[in-house]
Amino acid sequence: MDMQTNKKKLGLKEKYAHMTRGLDWETSYQSMDKVFPQATFEGIKIHDWDKWEDPFRLTMDSYWKYQAEKERKLYAVLDAFAQNNGHLGITDARYINAIKLFLTGISPLEYVAHRGFAAAGRNFPGVGPRVACLMQSLDEVRHAQTQIHALSNYNKHYDGFHDFKHMLERVWYLSVPKSFFDDAFSSGPFEWMIAIGFSFEYVLTNLLFVPFMSGAAYNGDMATVTFGFSAQSDEARHMTLGLECIKFMLEQDPDNLPIVQKWIDKWAWRGIRVLTLVGMMMDYMLPKRVMSWKEAWEIYFEQNGGALFGDLARYGVKVPECITQCTIDKEHISHQAWATFYQYGGAAAFHTWMPTDDEMDWLSAKYPTSFDKYYRARFTYWRDEAAKGNRFYTNTLPMLCQVCQIPMLFTEPDDPGQICYRESDYEGEKYHTCSDGCKKIFDDEPQKYIQAWLPVHQIYQGNCFPEGTDPTVEGFNPLAKVLEWYHLEHGKDNLDFEGSRDQKNFDTWRGLATKNT
Amino acid sequence: MSTVFIAFQTNDDTRPIIESILADNPHAVLDEQPAMVKINAEGHLVINRESIEERIGRHFDLQELQINLITISGHLDEDDDQFSLTWKN
Amino acid sequence: MAVTALKDYQFSPADTQDKFHGGQLLYVGWDDHLMFCAPFAYCLPPTTPFSELCNKILANSFGYHPDWSKVDFSTATWLKSGQPWQPDMSKTIGELGLKHKDVLRLKTPGLTGINGSRS
């Protein structure tokens, strides 16, 4: 028998050093500036790329090993879910609408993040961040794929899941997340890292994945919980990358601080506006609730973000200036967003409804200073009217914010009963924004935002009808044509949950699953 | 002092990991939520490879934590023996 | 400030008036009636009489609200870009000097929404 020699393996630190350094070279027949054209134009000064360190010290070989393990676990659950009619185990069919919004509004962004990190990896001259960006880019494409795959099980049975890719570039509310990522992707690699790597991943994704996925578990949706947590296990690494990146920039040169601070202020606000959709999902779309949006905000933004910014203070970084506005908004935005989708439910690719009395009691307990005072009367009125056959659908397009592209539904910081109007004049043209935060972003880079593809204006320009549509014919119905252009089938994908095909099918199938007749 | 935290999926792999974290960090507080376990601790939190190995009876690579990890907060430092999270303020 | 960019960064605005087939954008919100979640956006020819805007177009948008039938345009007041503004009902929006993308707020004192909740 051979003797087993106990060969000493490389330690983690040594292995990381070997596998993330010295992989590059100085170019000869092209200048380094030409090979890395995006490395300097943003004004960020880097003196020593080797100072970059990934605290996880993850190398590509380990990356593949652990990612493969995560995939095996995930697909075991997805198979079980599909084989056992897992879709009938959810609390009630209203829940399905939350994951429709997830598939149409969030999964495509994972794909954009994949492209963005691939580009950032390409554009950074340092090997350490290139390796980290490569891993994150692969993670993001994995997230897009696993989410689409997991939710395809729902597409077999329910409406609204059928054409997320087509919808992303067309549907009015999907322009909100789409334009957010487009804004980040069209900046330079360092701003991208602050926008997505730091502000979105570190400060905000916990709010998306942790309470919402725990909510999916609470509502019996095994498939979503599993892809959610599987994705989130990568997010811990992304958060670390985001934090590392900001520390790296701040330590490299004191001149980087004002640039970084400006980006933090901008992207915290941009991200928070996008998360309005998540707030609404948590407070209104999960039949069984884990925690309110406000509670999640307090844990993951106020406490965790507070710890983070307390720590970054040693570099001179300040808490994003939007914090005062956000503290006011946490009481309101989920209700304001749901009210919006309820009334524009004719043009949404998911169903909407009014909360039951029990649910309204829950909301008023969670939002004691705002729900009863500002929202309950409105919601009760709508519910009573719907019961009388007079369900409210707005018949006119809304005014949108030029920056976040959300309808102008947010209220004044000092008056939750008054819509907040802000406007700017730029080169003879008026531009409207929903808040001081969005106005400041517009005024800082008007050239960028004057190009915004605002769905409402595009509809009025006649750009949102199927090819060959003649809007001048007698009795032309613009809304019907817009829905057709969205690939949204009127009467199936949209309108109230009550009376929907989803509701009927779910009840029938669950009945079949639990009875013998 | 700020709170660091770490959250794992609730499953058989993570039970001994959570046990060893709680044993090694007497100041840590367990927060059980649907499908996940979150451990909060003032200032810092350490995970020791040896403590986990004692409980599972085999070699454990701390990078295996990533499989069931949900989220963390705090500055991370990881080597072969220890995984730690710290806020410096 | 200019956009920090690799090259000269100049683009034309996406929503200039010439792209709206003879119409101009006008936004109108109704204060204290948040049942309508946001101000409405209209694309109207400048020849639209202000009376038609009030009695037909806004009525079509806001008519669902039980307060709408109580609106009295002879006592209602208006803000344009946040400043008091006095329309002449017999004139068109073009004659009144309303420009592309102007925003109006309709104020109807005494009408405070469902159960006084400003909804």
Side-chain angles (χ1 to χ4, degrees):
Chain A
M1 211 168 119
D2 292 336
M3 284 290 288
Q4 288 280 330
T5 52
N6 199 2
K7 201 167 81 185
K8 179 87 176 83
K9 286 201 325 193
L10 284 179
L12 193 58
K13 285 181 178 168
E14 292 165 293
K15 189 172 147 198
Y16 179 77
H18 281 300
M19 296 184 75
T20 62
R21 293 296 184 273
L23 304 174
D24 55 343
W25 62 92
E26 288 285 322
T27 54
S28 53
Y29 57 89
Q30 285 288 354
S31 72
M32 287 293 271
D33 287 348
K34 275 192 174 172
V35 176
F36 294 103
Q38 296 196 23
T40 52
F41 81 95
E42 295 170 276
I44 294 290
K45 295 173 186 160
I46 303 296
H47 305 288
D48 182 2
W49 282 99
D50 279 344
K51 285 284 191 301
W52 174 283
E53 185 129 4
D54 165 19
F56 274 112
R57 303 201 167 89
L58 193 64
T59 52
M60 277 320 285
D61 57 329
S62 306
Y63 175 80
W64 293 124
K65 182 171 135 193
Y66 294 118
Q67 295 304 97
E69 184 63 25
K70 288 179 190 176
E71 292 281 276
R72 274 194 291 274
K73 282 168 62 89
L74 171 62
Y75 277 89
V77 176
L78 293 190
D79 287 347
F81 185 83
Q83 288 159 4
N84 295 291
N85 279 326
H87 67 98
L88 296 177
I90 57 171
T91 39
D92 87 51
R94 289 181 303 167
Y95 167 78
I96 299 165
N97 295 289
I99 52 175
K100 290 177 194 176
L101 188 52
F102 197 97
L103 177 72
T104 52
I106 296 168
S107 303
L109 305 187
E110 302 271 17
Y111 186 74
V112 185
H114 152 67
R115 295 177 57 216
F117 279 99
R122 165 64 185 82
N123 286 313
F124 284 133
V127 186
R130 292 173 71 106
V131 171
C133 286
L134 168 64
M135 287 176 195
Q136 183 157 353
S137 174
L138 291 167
D139 291 339
E140 303 289 2
V141 79
R142 176 177 97 87
H143 299 175
Q145 288 171 342
T146 52
Q147 287 164 22
I148 292 162
H149 208 155
L151 295 177
S152 71
N153 280 311
Y154 285 98
N155 184 43
K156 294 174 192 163
H157 307 287
Y158 303 101
D159 291 318
F161 289 94
H162 55 286
D163 218 347
F164 62 92
K165 182 178 164 291
H166 178 90
M167 288 180 185
L168 180 73
E169 295 179 348
R170 291 167 177 78
V171 178
W172 59 280
Y173 54 91
L174 298 179
S175 82
V176 173
K178 180 180 188 297
S179 61
F180 169 82
F181 263 81
D182 286 351
D183 189 353
F185 202 176
S186 56
S187 62
F190 287 104
E191 186 174 349
W192 165 268
M193 289 303 288
I194 297 296
I196 307 301
F198 178 74
S199 297
F200 203 69
E201 298 281 352
Y202 203 98
V203 186
L204 302 171
T205 47
N206 270 329
L207 277 162
L208 172 61
F209 277 103
V210 184
F212 183 71
M213 291 306 159
S214 213
Y218 227 32
N219 284 279
D221 182 4
M222 231 165 40
T224 300
V225 185
T226 313
F227 81 63
F229 282 159
S230 186
Q232 187 64 28
S233 69
D234 299 338
E235 305 295 346
R237 188 153 32 71
H238 303 172
M239 290 162 66
T240 305
L241 174 64
L243 182 56
E244 194 52 34
C245 188
I246 203 163
K247 284 180 353 195
F248 176 69
M249 285 188 215
L250 294 168
E251 282 169 7
Q252 282 290 309
D253 199 294
D255 290 352
N256 294 341
L257 175 64
I259 305 175
V260 167
Q261 181 72 52
K262 188 174 114 171
W263 288 338
I264 291 175
D265 289 340
K266 170 182 174 182
W267 288 101
W269 181 249
R270 293 282 277 125
I272 288 163
R273 272 293 187 245
V274 172
L275 287 192
T276 302
L277 292 174
V278 181
M280 168 185 105
M281 285 159 93
M282 287 182 64
D283 283 342
Y284 287 89
M285 302 180 85
L286 298 180
K288 209 164 153 52
R289 289 139 165 100
V290 176
M291 59 171 73
S292 66
W293 165 252
K294 183 182 153 191
E295 288 166 316
W297 177 263
E298 286 167 353
I299 295 171
Y300 291 106
F301 188 85
E302 292 179 2
Q303 290 169 26
N304 191 33
L308 167 71
F309 284 102
D311 193 89
L312 292 176
R314 69 199 144 104
Y315 297 109
V317 168
K318 294 193 187 71
V319 177
E321 57 193 12
C322 61
I323 189 87
T324 316
Q325 175 81 51
C326 295
T327 308
I328 298 165
D329 283 355
K330 70 181 177 186
E331 304 279 355
H332 298 283
I333 58 166
S334 65
H335 320 299
Q336 292 168 341
W338 189 241
T340 302
F341 278 98
Y342 181 79
Q343 64 195 263
Y344 285 100
F350 58 89
H351 302 300
T352 50
W353 57 87
M354 272 296 113
T356 61
D357 282 331
D358 281 355
E359 289 166 335
M360 289 207 220
D361 290 345
W362 182 88
L363 289 162
S364 85
K366 294 294 182 186
Y367 295 93
T369 60
S370 63
F371 185 74
D372 286 353
K373 189 167 176 199
Y374 296 102
Y375 306 101
R376 194 163 190 145
R378 190 188 317 175
F379 289 4
T380 308
Y381 181 81
W382 281 340
R383 204 185 55 196
D384 295 347
E385 287 300 302
K388 289 188 248 166
N390 187 30
R391 204 283 195 191
F392 179 45
Y393 290 109
T394 303
N395 58 17
T396 311
L397 299 175
M399 177 182 184
L400 304 179
C401 171
Q402 188 78 24
V403 173
C404 69
Q405 307 201 1
I406 298 175
M408 298 265 295
L409 59 94
F410 300 102
T411 45
E412 286 285 358
D414 59 356
D415 183 1
Q418 173 59 49
I419 296 283
C420 182
Y421 295 82
R422 296 290 181 271
E423 65 179 65
S424 306
D425 289 292
Y426 180 70
E427 296 187 341
E429 190 88 6
K430 265 195 192 327
Y431 297 93
H432 300 273
T433 39
C434 69
S435 53
D436 294 323
C438 283
K439 176 173 164 53
K440 188 168 182 216
I441 291 168
F442 179 87
D443 290 343
D444 193 53
E445 293 181 301
Q447 274 291 342
K448 195 163 192 180
Y449 299 98
I450 61 171
Q451 308 164 57
W453 194 93
L454 294 178
V456 167
H457 295 176
Q458 291 296 320
I459 290 171
Y460 280 137
Q461 288 181 27
N463 298 333
C464 305
F465 305 128
E467 221 174 297
T469 300
D470 177 7
T472 60
V473 295
E474 184 74 20
F476 177 69
N477 179 348
L479 178 66
K481 283 292 168 190
V482 170
L483 294 186
E484 205 181 301
W485 187 71
Y486 285 175
H487 287 186
L488 196 159
E489 203 177 329
H490 181 68
K492 286 184 177 163
D493 299 321
N494 60 352
L495 305 183
D496 203 289
F497 174 73
E498 193 60 40
S500 67
R501 207 158 70 145
D502 278 4
Q503 182 192 34
K504 282 191 216 102
N505 285 340
F506 182 80
D507 287 347
T508 309
W509 295 330
R510 179 119 94 180
L512 289 175
T514 54
K515 293 186 195 75
N516 287 313
T517 48
Chain B
M1 209 39 138
S2 299
T3 305
V4 299
F5 61 72
I6 189 162
F8 293 102
Q9 296 188 41
T10 308
N11 60 32
D12 265 6
D13 290 342
T14 56
R15 202 172 303 128
I17 298 170
I18 292 154
E19 268 178 35
S20 53
I21 297 174
L22 293 174
D24 294 350
N25 299 273
H27 66 301
V29 180
L30 184 69
D31 172 12
E32 290 178 288
Q33 290 179 26
M36 67 176 252
V37 180
K38 186 165 171 257
I39 300 166
N40 302 308
E42 285 296 294
H44 72 282
L45 190 77
V46 292
I47 305 177
N48 295 306
R49 177 178 56 78
E50 283 187 349
S51 306
I52 297 172
E53 289 180 346
E54 272 169 32
R55 287 174 173 79
I56 62 176
R58 67 164 174 88
H59 172 72
F60 185 80
D61 186 331
L62 284 172
Q63 288 193 329
E64 288 179 50
L65 290 174
Q66 297 203 17
I67 296 168
N68 294 298
L69 189 59
I70 291 174
T71 183
I72 56 172
S73 170
H75 292 287
L76 166 69
D77 191 32
E78 182 176 351
D79 63 21
D80 299 275
D81 302 317
Q82 211 172 60
F83 177 112
S84 69
L85 292 168
T86 318
W87 284 128
K88 288 168 190 151
N89 58 321
Chain C
M1 248 180 83
V3 173
T4 305
L6 275 170
K7 293 178 184 159
D8 182 39
Y9 194 97
Q10 290 292 327
F11 295 92
S12 42
D15 297 319
T16 45
Q17 193 174 345
D18 57 299
K19 301 188 175 71
F20 289 85
H21 313 284
Q24 67 181 69
L25 291 176
L26 178 67
Y27 310 107
V28 185
W30 183 16
D31 278 9
D32 290 339
H33 291 83
L34 283 171
M35 176 180 292
F36 307 97
C37 63
F40 290 122
Y42 300 97
C43 182
L44 303 169
T47 53
T48 309
F50 200 76
S51 58
E52 185 186 325
L53 173 74
C54 295
N55 298 321
K56 281 194 183 158
I57 298 170
L58 298 185
N60 178 54
S61 301
F62 292 118
Y64 184 89
H65 201 291
D67 277 356
W68 184 258
S69 59
K70 298 175 214 152
V71 172
D72 175 0
F73 281 104
S74 65
T75 58
T77 58
W78 298 84
L79 299 178
K80 186 176 89 145
S81 288
Q83 299 304 314
W85 182 75
Q86 186 68 48
D88 177 343
M89 281 285 181
S90 67
K91 292 193 167 155
T92 66
I93 60 173
E95 288 161 357
L96 288 168
L98 289 171
K99 298 271 184 308
H100 181 54
K101 296 209 250 173
D102 264 342
V103 60
L104 297 178
R105 278 166 60 183
L106 169 63
K107 295 173 91 68
T108 51
L111 302 179
T112 52
I114 308 295
N115 301 335
S117 69
R118 300 169 76 188
S119 279

